[in-house]
Amino acid sequence: MQTSNDIRAAFIDSFARNGHEVVPSSPLVPHNDPTLLFTNAGMVQFKNLFTGMETRPYKRAVTAQKCVRAGGKHNDLDNVGYTNRHHTFFEMLGNFSFGDYFKDVAIELAWRLVTDEFKIDPNRLIVTVYADDDEAHKIWKKVANLPESRLVRIATADNFWSMGDIGPCGPCTEIFYDHGPKLKGGPPGSGDEGDRYVEIWNLVFMQYDQTEDGKRVPLPRLSVDTGMGIERLAAVLQGVHDNYDTDVLRALVLASADLTRKPADGPQAVSHRVIADHLRATCFLIADGVLPSNEGRGYVLRRIMRRAMRHVHMLGAKDPVMWRLVPTLVSQMGQAYPELVRAQPLITETLRLEETRFRQTLDRGLKLLEEETGGLATGAPLAGEIAFKLYDTYGFPLDLTEDVLRGQGRKVEIAGFNAAMTRQKEEARRSWAGSGEQATERIWFEIRERVGPTEFLGYAHETAEGEVVAIVKDGREVDRLHDGDEAAVIANQTPFYGEAGGQQGDTGILVTEHGAEFTVSDTKRHAGDLFVHLGRMTKGGLKLGEIAELRVDGARRTRLRANHSATHLLHEALRRRLGPHVTQKGSLVAPDRLRFDFCHPKALTPGDIEAIETEVNARVRLNSDVTTRFMTPKEAVDQGAVALFGEKYGEEVRVVAMGGDERENFSVELCGGTHVRRSGDIGLFKIVGESAVASGVRRIEALTGQSAIDYMDDQERRLNEAAAALKVSPADVPARVAALIEERKKLERELSEARRQLAMSGGGTQAAPAFKDIGGIKFAGKILGEVPAKELKPMADEIKKQIGSGVIALASSAEGKASLVVAVTEDLTGQFDAVQLVRIGSEALGGKGGGGRPDMAQAGGPNVEALGQAIAAIEQAVGGASAAKPERPAAVASPRR
């Protein structure tokens, strides 16, 4: 049997023998098309080649491209598990021609590969062509000699392909395989879809560029883009009729069955299929730098994960399962996609954490469903909005909700669910309409095409001469600048680093031979390798073609280099301290500070921070050389270099090693940034902050060199000031502070006792007897000055013990706020309610009521001048109540509780 690995290798080798460049799969997060959520086809990384905005040294290419379709226009998520061929993740084999060969060669290569090399029976193949494509029809007749019954013209959009609403497009020709009469379904074009006839290869002839206004503009070069799903081809070559019975997916299904102890086939088959498919999508997305979150790509990833985890729950598994399936996937696909191997610790940790959390979320969702249906009449449907909330918030697909309701004899109000789903999709579509202005980017591609890439000289030089090859002002190209103009200037070579990888762009100045000056405030990178100097003419003018001296701000560059190198040492120190799952998720390299975001599920302890800081500084003190080498990405990774997941690397990468000794390197990373020459140039490393950025992502903020020294000097100054104030040495400050804290606590206790004693003795700011007799009721009302509010209740309890029976009202004005407590002895709670009485006093203080129990209540207010009025109001209320007849208690009274 030909395995999927065999099929992939045979496809690539066949086209490589026919002059095609073997191009690695691009990441699932597209870097050249902000209109796409995920890479959903093999041609995505070549889009700018088809439009003519970019050129490469080859005109033919072959790829095995990893793809995800789980959001936007191309969304197969809800069908996965229920059909033989829908997937969220799949591999697309494809060959491409960029203005080289066209329909004749593409068709011949495809037919020869399918029938001669893969040995598929030609009698089981059917070919479709676009209805108006007479040229393709004629070529097929010549190459394959197919009868008309198996060469079908299709007049619908099924045979006219486009990647999206705009972009390259053209007519298709498709190859279908007949799985035999035992399966249902009619031939292509019959409208009777089924599993018998399956499309295995789609050849797209790129002839047009679909514009935003709906027009189709001829492309500058006729090109070819083909796509063959490896899962569908594997089903044919392995003699099965279901993609989930092919080697890779079947291995995952069987592993799921083994871990959940539920048969792979039968009623549980759908769940195992969903788990197998979604595991692939999850692992590859994490390997390419996507982490679960509540927005954007991370939100879609979380939906995929939770859909699979819900099926794990349905299978009855008591513990998280998906993370235990990762080794099976890596063994099946890790050879072809080594990023899975590199990211395996991160993938495992993320899956384990997410599944543990989702089990709690699942319980809350089921509880919500129970609450919502509890109040419904028998047989009444569940509101569609609630069903959608379960779907969107808790990861409950509609079918799960329907399954739960089916046992209650209920259904979902589908119209409401669909309306909510439509609103969500419209919001998602607007959110992912594009993160960049294509018109703005187009100008950089046009310049890049005309003048070529900028040669970067900044690794070795901070000053260099360059020719001004382009000037952009107000979004269009101009040939000169005048004094005061703000613009972007491109030179054929530059020492200025363009912002990338978190490192800020260089600043400085461009000076012409005539003395004109252009001050550079920032440097950006466009169209991949076009360095764009942004700034303003501060002296004279500048013309296209002039030679200028480009001078980087050296002092700022030195600080940038130190901070960038420190992030590399920090990254490795984190990995060694916390584990290999630690992966960079973002960074800021500024001249005055650095910021480093990384994957880790919990906060760092003080011990972690101290150990990491000590490790980095130890590597700095080694003062070893920082070495750089250029090699292929594969060579670099094979030699232990750390590659950032999701980062797109070229054919040659720069590998930076630092912090090691004569035995081994410490940090080895793929990086295009500028770095110190020796680790000692960093000077000093100091962590000044550690915090959470998002779920599973932490952030460290740190300083190096003079900034770190200034920070520590400031801390020392503060310590010395504290020592002087305490009249001790700096070393004794902690002990002295601890003693003062304990002394303060003791004084506070003594003061509180003194206040209590004062209150018990009848003292206070208001001269008064210990209590008054009001109609036979003892009443003690006291204003106690600035006694804290928290001490009033204990004082009231003491007075209650003294008077035996009565009502007590205590007031104070601590910290500029009026506080009031009313207490009623137990024998009088049937006649007086402390809560009602304290509210009467609170009104006098300008407050809004109070609270407590019938025997003790507290309130406050802003008017400290009215404390006497508050006590008097309570006293008056007590008098009124005591004068009332026993059978008709006053309004302030309440029954005994």
Side-chain angles (χ1 to χ4, degrees), residues 370-607:
E370 182 180 351
E371 292 172 352
E372 292 292 338
T373 57
L376 295 177
T378 302
L382 180 72
E385 287 283 351
I386 300 301
F388 181 76
K389 181 179 180 181
L390 285 164
Y391 172 83
D392 195 49
T393 304
Y394 296 97
F396 279 44
L398 180 61
D399 60 325
L400 170 61
T401 304
E402 289 177 326
D403 285 343
V404 175
L405 296 179
R406 192 172 293 117
Q408 304 175 9
R410 304 182 192 279
K411 295 182 179 180
V412 174
E413 196 273 297
I414 297 296
F417 180 88
N418 290 337
M421 177 69 79
T422 299
R423 287 196 300 273
Q424 193 264 1
K425 288 182 176 179
E426 289 174 350
E427 291 172 3
R429 191 178 299 115
R430 286 194 296 270
S431 174
W432 286 99
S435 58
E437 292 292 334
Q438 290 191 3
T440 302
E441 284 300 308
R442 180 179 292 274
I443 194 171
W444 305 122
F445 280 110
E446 290 174 349
I447 293 173
R448 165 66 174 78
E449 181 70 18
R450 188 181 71 248
V451 305
T454 307
E455 184 180 358
F456 179 59
L457 307 176
Y459 293 133
H461 305 282
E462 294 182 1
T463 301
E465 287 189 346
E467 178 186 357
V468 177
V469 294
I471 303 172
V472 176
K473 181 175 178 289
D474 298 329
R476 61 186 182 87
E477 287 194 71
V478 297
D479 59 5
R480 65 180 62 234
L481 292 176
H482 302 285
D483 197 5
D485 284 349
E486 293 185 356
V489 175
I490 298 97
N492 67 324
Q493 59 184 28
T494 182
F496 283 72
Y497 181 80
E499 181 178 351
Q503 180 177 335
Q504 291 183 350
D506 281 329
T507 63
I509 192 170
L510 275 65
V511 182
T512 71
E513 56 184 348
H514 303 295
E517 296 181 0
F518 179 85
T519 299
V520 179
S521 57
D522 198 3
T523 308
K524 300 288 187 183
R525 206 176 295 191
H526 292 287
D529 49 14
L530 195 70
F531 287 61
V532 180
H533 308 87
L534 306 174
R536 181 172 176 269
M537 287 301 307
T538 49
K539 181 180 178 181
L542 181 68
K543 292 189 299 183
L544 198 63
E546 280 195 277
I547 303 299
E549 186 177 34
L550 298 92
R551 306 172 186 167
V552 172
D553 182 337
R556 183 175 180 275
R557 164 74 76 82
T558 296
R559 297 193 298 272
L560 281 166
R561 283 198 300 247
N563 283 337
H564 197 163
S565 297
T567 65
H568 282 228
L569 297 178
L570 171 61
H571 189 184
E572 184 59 27
L574 286 165
R575 288 167 59 86
R576 297 196 180 197
R577 174 71 180 186
L578 305 178
H581 66 276
V582 170
T583 307
Q584 180 177 337
K585 290 303 299 176
S587 69
L588 170 67
V589 177
D592 58 336
R593 69 194 189 284
L594 67 90
R595 187 177 71 212
F596 190 82
D597 298 345
F598 59 97
C599 301
H600 190 60
K602 58 185 178 181
L604 273 63
T605 66

Side-chain angles (χ1 to χ4, degrees), residues 226-507:
T226 83
M228 173 186 280
I230 195 172
E231 294 81 5
R232 296 187 181 191
L233 180 60
V236 172
L237 297 179
Q238 293 173 13
V240 296
H241 308 301
D242 188 327
N243 289 3
Y244 290 91
D245 288 333
T246 58
D247 59 330
V248 173
L249 287 167
R250 187 63 180 174
L252 295 173
V253 165
L254 292 176
S256 173
D258 180 60
L259 289 173
T260 60
R261 299 183 179 180
K262 292 294 170 66
D265 303 306
Q268 301 88 3
V270 168
S271 291
H272 290 306
R273 288 152 70 105
V274 170
I275 292 166
D277 172 89
H278 290 10
L279 178 78
R280 292 207 303 174
T282 294
C283 294
F284 274 94
L285 284 171
I286 294 173
D288 276 353
V290 181
L291 285 179
S293 69
N294 292 325
E295 59 184 8
R297 295 182 173 97
Y299 169 74
V300 177
L301 170 60
R302 178 163 282 163
R303 280 184 59 203
I304 295 171
M305 296 172 73
R306 289 186 169 183
R307 191 170 189 269
M309 291 167 183
R310 194 267 300 183
H311 280 274
V312 171
H313 177 82
M314 289 174 63
L315 291 171
K318 302 300 182 184
D319 299 311
V321 165
M322 289 188 65
W323 69 273
R324 298 171 65 188
L325 295 170
V326 175
T328 303
L329 175 64
V330 172
S331 68
Q332 291 288 324
M333 303 188 70
Q335 181 180 356
Y337 298 99
E339 62 267 30
L340 282 179
V341 180
R342 297 198 302 269
Q344 186 171 351
L346 174 62
I347 293 168
T348 301
E349 185 69 18
T350 302
L351 277 168
R352 182 172 12 205
L353 182 64
E354 280 289 314
E355 193 164 359
T356 301
R357 289 175 175 172
F358 179 60
R359 286 181 173 269
Q360 301 170 352
T361 301
L362 187 65
D363 292 339
R364 292 197 296 268
L366 289 172
K367 184 178 180 181
L368 173 64
L369 185 56
E370 182 180 351
E371 292 172 352
E372 292 292 338
T373 57
L376 295 177
T378 302
L382 180 72
E385 287 283 351
I386 300 301
F388 181 76
K389 181 179 180 181
L390 285 164
Y391 172 83
D392 195 49
T393 304
Y394 296 97
F396 279 44
L398 180 61
D399 60 325
L400 170 61
T401 304
E402 289 177 326
D403 285 343
V404 175
L405 296 179
R406 192 172 293 117
Q408 304 175 9
R410 304 182 192 279
K411 295 182 179 180
V412 174
E413 196 273 297
I414 297 296
F417 180 88
N418 290 337
M421 177 69 79
T422 299
R423 287 196 300 273
Q424 193 264 1
K425 288 182 176 179
E426 289 174 350
E427 291 172 3
R429 191 178 299 115
R430 286 194 296 270
S431 174
W432 286 99
S435 58
E437 292 292 334
Q438 290 191 3
T440 302
E441 284 300 308
R442 180 179 292 274
I443 194 171
W444 305 122
F445 280 110
E446 290 174 349
I447 293 173
R448 165 66 174 78
E449 181 70 18
R450 188 181 71 248
V451 305
T454 307
E455 184 180 358
F456 179 59
L457 307 176
Y459 293 133
H461 305 282
E462 294 182 1
T463 301
E465 287 189 346
E467 178 186 357
V468 177
V469 294
I471 303 172
V472 176
K473 181 175 178 289
D474 298 329
R476 61 186 182 87
E477 287 194 71
V478 297
D479 59 5
R480 65 180 62 234
L481 292 176
H482 302 285
D483 197 5
D485 284 349
E486 293 185 356
V489 175
I490 298 97
N492 67 324
Q493 59 184 28
T494 182
F496 283 72
Y497 181 80
E499 181 178 351
Q503 180 177 335
Q504 291 183 350
D506 281 329
T507 63

Side-chain angles (χ1 to χ4, degrees), residues 714-784:
D714 182 63
Q715 297 298 303
E716 184 178 14
R717 178 184 59 77
R718 293 171 186 267
L719 176 61
N720 288 333
E721 288 176 356
L726 295 170
K727 295 182 172 56
V728 296
S729 69
D732 292 333
V733 166
R736 181 57 179 150
V737 170
L740 285 174
I741 291 174
E742 185 58 37
E743 184 178 344
R744 177 179 175 178
K745 290 179 180 178
K746 179 182 177 182
L747 290 173
E748 285 178 344
R749 291 193 295 268
E750 292 175 351
L751 179 58
S752 176
E753 178 62 20
R755 286 172 179 151
R756 189 185 67 80
Q757 293 294 337
L758 181 63
M760 297 306 99
S761 64
T765 60
Q766 175 180 298
F771 60 85
K772 293 181 180 181
D773 188 307
I774 304 176
I777 302 296
K778 293 179 182 179
F779 175 76
K782 297 176 180 291
I783 300 175
L784 300 176

